[in-house]
């Protein structure tokens, strides 16, 4: 299609006239030019409506022609909510309007406009109450009005990455002041990062007159010549967090992705400039009502003629410059209405586009363009995030940064004051030097402030209009809300949703507060502004997530497990074999012959030093003073509140050398726990802790023939029961590998040896065990078979058979707790707990009367039909007994052996089970274990 | 103190006022601060406002002042992610929150204010066998208490949330979920405003911008409070603050087992509705729901260190985004629009502190951690009963302050790691 | 992201550390009575303002050390030795 509104080449234009770009809008093909934004290309082609408003479905056109334009949000392919007044055109883009039904031109919801007087802000709080159960139905109708674009569950995943940058000084905003600050800081020796939201540096000079363009060329030349500056364009400092931790969003990366750049800046210079503020009057949202800066951008950067006949309403030089630009390119400016002369506009006329304007003096002009330049808003968001509260400056008629800035944050440019380009540059330069000095650790002298120019305070004309276009909130809504008691900036915001939309108040907040002030008779100083919250510019989940990095840990035998059909089990960071297909058979093989299981994730801490026994006595509830060299002991750890938090065995390898094992998930916490005691309570104790979890591959060899199997591989260790009895540890050669450890313990309840071999030999030892034991019937078994076996033996799992309140006394570990020790972690609670032991829940073994019934873990045990009196913590079918077996926590009066308890199953049915005399269902005497 | 005739809210009245263009009256009035009240409630959040409302509505006690240092509903009550559920772990917890859900179900009608309670269903995902076991435990406790909860599998989860990646290959595979159909979302501000308006109608005075600077205690009895607007005598003072509960209690000389942590939340730009249920993953420390406006609202666990700063952190949004995309990879192009933080008073057993203190007349409704909003109505109702009768209601008996000195902690900790 | 002044490694991002709580003194367990012990277990000053607290350098020197932090502004400075 042709471009009837495209101007002849303009001096500052960013277009490449040799490169047409074809794209689709709302199903039709259009042509733009390289350098166009989606909106400038459409405007040039004569399209003036880009969206329908959220609530009343009013047609909306360009307003600011920048990223914050509330009316130019579109869908591009799979990407929702694209800012079409910022996003550059790309060939083949499929651009669609977002909230129009059935079409942008004929939107059915436009009837809401007629109902506007009934649909005042917050109307939904006052209706749809009865019946309450129908609210979701109303809600689902209302949710069709949601103004955003569409997502797809299978949307293609762009490539996102993150970058850590190292900058001394970060300058947010590359207008004249920001440019000058960056150059000055770099010249003072700082590493500088200059971040600009637009596609090029220069700020407002880019759409200025020939003198501005000449000045920009000079500034740019200086910038380019300065080596210490990295310039990021189409990028935004989105957040300033504690201690100048900065988030920078880099947009428009190759492939379309966004990138999050993070840096700890020594100093931050905020040079975000000013945002032009819309004016509130009837019809202010019609297509054809645009801001002065928008006119200047469209004409000078994108060579678009925004209309044919215009009225310009101005209170400042920007409006005058816009009028001059319009006249220069042949737009007839029928009237410049100057607020400084007491003139004003009353309303814009028209239905789909501005057709006329009515002035306060009653004159009407037929126009298709109404330009307003009535004031500025300082986007102080980043300063806000640094703890600074903006203050209202009645002279400048805008909020300005408050006096208290952290000494690592500076501000320059329009955000702090007004000035000629030279004054802005001079201020920026001084601030840049100060920022560099501060980054070197010096205390720079204060920079003389930039002055402000008087500006009339203008927010609303004599009529009511839209205060927040993206939320469809009018000034009348604000007045009504205030009358209802929503009369502070925060309450009015929450009630009307003004400032809650996509631009987060950059255009809307000042007008909202001003209209509220009018309504409640308070001024801007009294009302203050709402808090600006990060991010300064919206940032995609993809950029925030980056390349999702969730590392996993695998044992040296992992590849073997995979090759042998193991079902993976995600256990925290570790991936473990759950089974190799038939856990029941694996468990039976262990009971019958011998099996091996990879227990590498088991936490292992090496303890060395003369005071290890003291440490063990302190952290375990049982006694450790008399552990002989070559012995191991099981221990339970409690926190200071007496709650069990980990368990494991510790062995004494040499006089002052111990190895402690912990649960897989508890390894890190236990290590920190030990360090805590050693560093903060007993700094005089000589103990050194070294984590060895992944230094060793760990294999448990379990079953009646485990000794026979191991004997074929072991050198230097006498495996006979007399020489190497239960609960002993030995070191030696296994399968030719030196420095291996074997301890005789048995979580499975069988004769078993846990061997720890240097990790790099893990696979070798594993395969050798299997090969060598083939004739013995050796199998590899997984975590599930181990769980069956340990449950048969009645060995508890901390965290499964205990919970966040289980103390050692109630966990079936009473026998271990040695209260006659002077001190150990949790002792006082356990002492007092032992005095009212009778109240504590007990861990018991249960067997359902129906041997085929395996109650789900978590099933509740009830007393007197419905009162909860316990729960099943572990439950499996036992291959050894051919029946179901459980562990359970029950109230003490149900815990007596032989008691029959009632279990409520998930389907609501009930089953009975008998409390067993001891926790072990299989081999309670322990003869297999100790054999 | 003075009641007033309320302006009814209804579709009919909306039309009538629209036609006559008459403004609605104030929802709550402004008052001078009196020199004494029968009851002073500190904190105009959902707990304080509900307490005042039920004092007036259920017990006829209307000489009540609710004091807040800021605007009403400006603390945790206006910063939470407005998720309502009763699928707790302990029988006490379930009974208590179930009562809250019941009150919420009828709240719009009772207060004549649409609080937009949508029982859209609540899913707590299990990514490993131990959390699946806890889900089963919770479901069984819930069912025995008459609360609708069930453990469901990946296929049912996919049906409820088509965007969810339930493939077994994912880093944290989804093994199942606790599905709680009565759970859902509510418009938090509407609850605060509805209680405030209804309490005002009954004569309760709400004083915004009124900061309690001191609490007067004579002997073992509270006698009143001192504020930035003057002193107020009162025989009963109820601390309904969150974030500042321990500091306010310290004014009365009562030390609490509380540590205050920021809890952050974030919201995206709106997109067309694609997520009806509330989704929670404890393993991935995230919960998410989509509002009627189309925004996704996210939350996570409390920050890793205590603070009274509410500025928020980047690492919160980074981790959140990573975890959300683990669950729903298709929404990577959705943009985060705003993040904020509220303050949570965490107790050692993840349960609140309600009831009497060693100071006679100084009552507590504090320690609400990350789950205070969902308990607003029932807390107000039970605290009002305590004030009116002098007896601690059974429903909150186990939440007493003395349990810490006595070593009788409540067992909710296991289920509340990400309690939403 | 706080910058934590580790006395052994220098300033590092707080993500390398674990917050280890308000500095507390452990009562003598042989003589302690329940009120004192449970106060040690559960009660905290929870002050708004400068506090002295303990951090653990999990991904660094693995030392516990004290820092001072203003819990209102999150300003951090090295803790004086206990």
């Amino acid at each position: 299609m042709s471009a009837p509104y495209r101007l002849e080449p303009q001096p500052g234009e960013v277009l490449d006239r040799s490169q047409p770009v074809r794209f689709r809008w709302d199903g039709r093909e259009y042509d733009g030019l390289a350098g166009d934004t989606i909106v400038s290309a459409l405007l040039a082609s004569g399209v003036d409506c880009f969206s329908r408003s959220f609530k009343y479905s009013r047609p909306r056109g360009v307003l600011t022609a920048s990223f914050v334009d509330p009316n130019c949000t579109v869908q591009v392919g799979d990407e929702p909510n694209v800012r079409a007044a910022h996003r550059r055109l790309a060939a083949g883009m499929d651009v669609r309007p977002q909230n129009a039904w059935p079409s942008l031109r004929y939107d059915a919801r436009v009837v809401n406009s007629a109902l506007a007087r009934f649909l005042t802000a917050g109307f939904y709080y006052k209706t749809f109450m009865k019946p309450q159960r129908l609210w979701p139905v109303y809600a689902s109708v209302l949710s069709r009005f949601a103004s955003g674009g569409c997502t797809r569950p299978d949307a293609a995943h762009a490539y996102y990455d993150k970058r850590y940058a190292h900058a001394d000084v970060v300058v947010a905003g590359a207008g004249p002041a920001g440019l000058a600050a960056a150059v000055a800081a770099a010249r003072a020796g700082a590493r500088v990062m200059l971040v600009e939201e637009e596609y090029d540096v220069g700020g407002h000079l880019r759409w200025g007159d020939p003198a501005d363009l000449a000045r920009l060329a000079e500034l740019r030349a200086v910038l380019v010549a300065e080596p210490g500056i990295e310039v990021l364009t189409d990028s935004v400092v989105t957040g300033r967090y504690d201690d100048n931790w900065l988030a920078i969003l880099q947009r428009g990366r190759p492939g379309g992705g966004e990138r999050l750049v993070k840096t700890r800046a020594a100093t931050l210079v905020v040079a975000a400039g000013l945002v032009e503020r819309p004016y509130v009057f009837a019809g202010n949202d019609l297509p054809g009502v645009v801001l002065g800066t928008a006119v200047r951008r469209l004409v000078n950067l994108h060579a678009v003629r925004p209309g044919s006949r215009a009225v310009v309403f101005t209170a400042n030089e920007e409006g005058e410059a816009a009028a001059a630009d319009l006249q220069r390119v042949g737009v007839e400016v029928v009237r410049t209405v100057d607020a400084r002369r007491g003139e004003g506009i009353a309303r814009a006329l028209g239905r789909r586009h501005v057709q006329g304007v009515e002035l306060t003096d009653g004159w009407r002009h037929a126009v298709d363009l109404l330009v307003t330049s009535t004031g500025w808003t300082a986007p102080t968001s980043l300063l806000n995030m640094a703890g600074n509260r903006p203050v209202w400056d009645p002279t400048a008629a805008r909020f300005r940064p408050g006096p208290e800035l952290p000494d690592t944050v500076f501000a320059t440019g329009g955000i702090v004051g007004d000035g000629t380009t030279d004054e802005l540059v001079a201020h920026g330069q001084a601030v840049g030097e100060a920022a560099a000095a501060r980054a070197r650790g010096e205390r720079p002298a204060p920079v003389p402030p930039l002055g402000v120019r008087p500006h009339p305070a203008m927010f609303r004309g004599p009529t009511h209009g839209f205060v927040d276009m993206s939320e469809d909130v009018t000034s009348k809504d604000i007045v009504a809300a205030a009358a209802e008691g929503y009369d502070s900036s925060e309450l009015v915001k929450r009630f009307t949703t003004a400032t809650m939309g996509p631009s987060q108040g950059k255009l809307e907040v000042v007008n909202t507060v001003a209209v509220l002030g009018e309504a409640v008779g308070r001024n801007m100083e009294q009302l203050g502004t709402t808090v600006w919250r990060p991010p300064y510019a919206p940032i995609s989940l993809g950029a925030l997530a980056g390349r999702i990095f969730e590392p996993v840990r695998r044992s040296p035998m992992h590849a073997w497990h995979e090759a042998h059909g193991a079902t993976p089990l995600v256990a925290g960071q570790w991936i473990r074999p759950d089974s190799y297909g038939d856990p029941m058979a694996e468990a039976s093989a262990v009971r019958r012959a011998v099996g091996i299981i990879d227990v590498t994730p088991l936490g292992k801490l090496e303890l060395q030093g003369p005071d290890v026994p003291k440490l063990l006595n302190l952290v375990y509830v049982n006694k450790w003073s008399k552990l002989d060299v070559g012995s191991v002991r099981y221990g339970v750890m409690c926190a200071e509140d007496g709650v069990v938090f980990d368990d494991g065995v510790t062995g004494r390898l040499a006089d002052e050398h111990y190895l402690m094992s912990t649960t897989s998930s508890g390894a890190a916490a236990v290590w920190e726990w030990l360090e805590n005691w050693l560093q903060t309570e007993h700094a005089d104790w000589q103990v050194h802790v070294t984590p060895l979890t992944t230094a060793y591959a760990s294999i448990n060899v379990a079953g009646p023939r485990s000794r026979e199997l191991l004997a074929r591989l072991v050198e230097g260790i006498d495996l006979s029961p007399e020489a190497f009895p239960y609960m002993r540890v030995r070191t030696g050669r296994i399968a030719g590998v030196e420095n291996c450890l074997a301890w005789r313990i048995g979580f499975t309840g069988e004769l078993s040896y846990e061997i720890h071999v240097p990790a790099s030999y893990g696979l070798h030892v594993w395969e050798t065990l299997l090969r060598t034991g083939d004739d013995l019937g050796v199998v590899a078994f997984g975590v599930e078979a181990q769980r069956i076996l340990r449950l048969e033996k009645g060995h508890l799992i901390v965290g499964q058979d205990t919970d966040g309140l289980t103390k050692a006394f109630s966990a079936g570990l009473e026998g271990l707790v040695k209260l006659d020790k002077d001190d150990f972690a949790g002792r006082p609670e356990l002492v007092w707990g032992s005095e009212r032991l009778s109240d504590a829940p007990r861990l018991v073994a249960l067997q359902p009367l129906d041997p085929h019934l395996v109650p789900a873990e978590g099933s509740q045990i009830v007393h007197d039909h419905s009162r909860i009196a316990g729960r099943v913590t572990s439950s499996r079918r036992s291959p050894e007994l051919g029946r179901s077996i459980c562990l359970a926590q029950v109230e003490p009066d149900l815990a007596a052996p032989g008691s029959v308890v009632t279990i409520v199953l998930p389907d609501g049915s009930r089953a009975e089970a008998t409390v067993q005399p001891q926790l072990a269902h299989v081999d309670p005497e322990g003869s297999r274990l100790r054999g | 103190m003075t009641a007033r005739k309320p302006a009814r809210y209804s579709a009919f009245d909306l039309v009538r006022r629209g036609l006559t263009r008459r403004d609605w009256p104030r929802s709550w009035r402004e008052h001078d601060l009196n020199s004494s009240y029968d009851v002073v409630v500190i904190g105009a959040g959902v707990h304080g406002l509900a307490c005042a409302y039920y004092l007036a509505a259920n017990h006829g006690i209307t000489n009540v002042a609710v004091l807040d240092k800021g605007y009403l509903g400006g603390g945790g009550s206006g910063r939470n992610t407005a998720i309502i559920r009763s699928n707790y772990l302990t029988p006490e917890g379930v009974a208590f929150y179930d009562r809250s859900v019941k009150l919420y179900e009828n709240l719009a009608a009772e207060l004549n204010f649409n609080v937009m309670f949508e029982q859209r269903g609540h899913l707590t995902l299990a990514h490993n066998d131990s959390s699946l076991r806890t889900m089963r435990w919770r479901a069984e406790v819930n069912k025995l208490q008459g609360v609708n909860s069930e453990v469901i599998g990946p296929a049912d989860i996919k049906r409820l949330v088509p965007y969810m990646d339930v493939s077994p290959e994912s880093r944290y595979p989804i093994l199942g979920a606790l599905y709680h159909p009565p759970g859902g979302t509510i418009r938090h501000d509407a609850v605060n405003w509805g209680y405030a308006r209804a309490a005002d109608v009954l004569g309760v005075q709400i004083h915004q911008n009124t900061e309690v600077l001191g609490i007067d205690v004579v002997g073992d009895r509270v006698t009143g409070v001192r504020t930035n607007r003057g002193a107020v005598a009162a025989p009963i003072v109820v601390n309904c603050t969150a974030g500042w509960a321990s500091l306010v209690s310290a004014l009365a000389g009562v030390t609490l087992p509380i540590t205050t942590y920021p809890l952050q939340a974030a919201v995206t730009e709106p997109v067309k509705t694609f997520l009806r249920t509330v989704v929670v993953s404890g393993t991935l420390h995230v919960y998410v729901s989509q509002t009627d406006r189309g925004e996704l609202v996210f939350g996570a666990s409390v920050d890793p260190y205590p603070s009274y700063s509410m500025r928020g952190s980047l690492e919160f949004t980074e981790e959140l985004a990573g975890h959300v995309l683990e669950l729903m990879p298709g929404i990577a192009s959705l943009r985060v629009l705003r993040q904020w933080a509220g303050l949570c008073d965490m107790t050692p057993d993840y349960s609140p502190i309600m009831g009497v203190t060693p100071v006679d007349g100084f009552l507590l409704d504090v320690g609400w951690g990350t789950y205070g909003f969902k308990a607003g109505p029932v807390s107000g109702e039970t605290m009002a009963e305590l004030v009116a009768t002098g007896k601690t209601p059974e429903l909150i008996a186990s939440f007493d302050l003395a349990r810490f000195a006595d070593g009788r902690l409540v067992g909710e900790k296991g289920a509340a790691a990400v309690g939403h | 992201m706080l910058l934590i002044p580790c006395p052994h490694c220098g300033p590092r991002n707080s993500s390398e550390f674990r917050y280890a709580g308000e500095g507390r003194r452990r009562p003598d367990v042989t003589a302690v009575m329940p009120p004192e012990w449970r106060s040690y277990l559960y009660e905290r000053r929870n002050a708004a303002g400068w506090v002295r607290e303990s951090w653990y350098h999990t991904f660094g020197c693995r030392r516990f050390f004290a820092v001072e932090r203003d819990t209102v502004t999150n300003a951090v400075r090295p803790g004086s030795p206990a």
Side-chain angles (χ1 to χ4, degrees), chain C:
Chain C
M1 181 74 79
L2 294 180
L3 201 56
I4 301 291
C6 175
H8 311 289
C9 311
R12 294 286 187 277
N13 280 352
S14 57
S15 54
E16 291 184 11
F17 299 81
R18 202 180 73 76
Y19 168 76
E22 267 178 27
R24 284 170 294 149
R25 206 157 284 288
R26 187 170 185 252
D28 172 5
V29 295
T30 53
V32 73
M33 297 305 286
E36 190 195 348
W37 180 256
R38 293 195 174 124
S39 163
Y40 156 74
L41 280 185
Y42 302 127
E43 287 179 0
R44 299 290 180 269
R45 279 182 60 225
N46 200 33
W50 283 98
V51 297
R52 191 168 186 282
E53 59 193 19
S54 179
W55 287 72
Y56 178 62
H57 201 171
T58 318
F59 303 108
C61 60
R62 303 198 170 97
R63 303 293 297 172
F64 287 84
F65 58 92
V67 302
E68 286 173 10
R69 183 167 62 97
D70 182 335
T71 56
V72 176
T73 64
N74 275 346
V76 178
R77 62 191 183 207
S80 47

Side-chain angles (χ1 to χ4, degrees), chain A residues 606-616 655-658 674-675 677-679 681-690, chain C residues 63:
Chain A
E606 183 184 62
L607 312 176
Q608 296 199 71
D611 295 316
V612 173
K614 289 184 190 166
L615 177 69
L616 298 176
D655 214 24
E656 296 184 359
H657 186 189
Y658 294 71
L674 300 183
E675 291 292 350
W677 286 108
L678 290 171
Q679 292 179 34
E681 292 285 337
H682 298 286
D684 55 322
W685 288 1
Q686 292 184 50
V687 180
H688 191 83
V689 185
T690 311
Chain C
R63 303 293 297 172

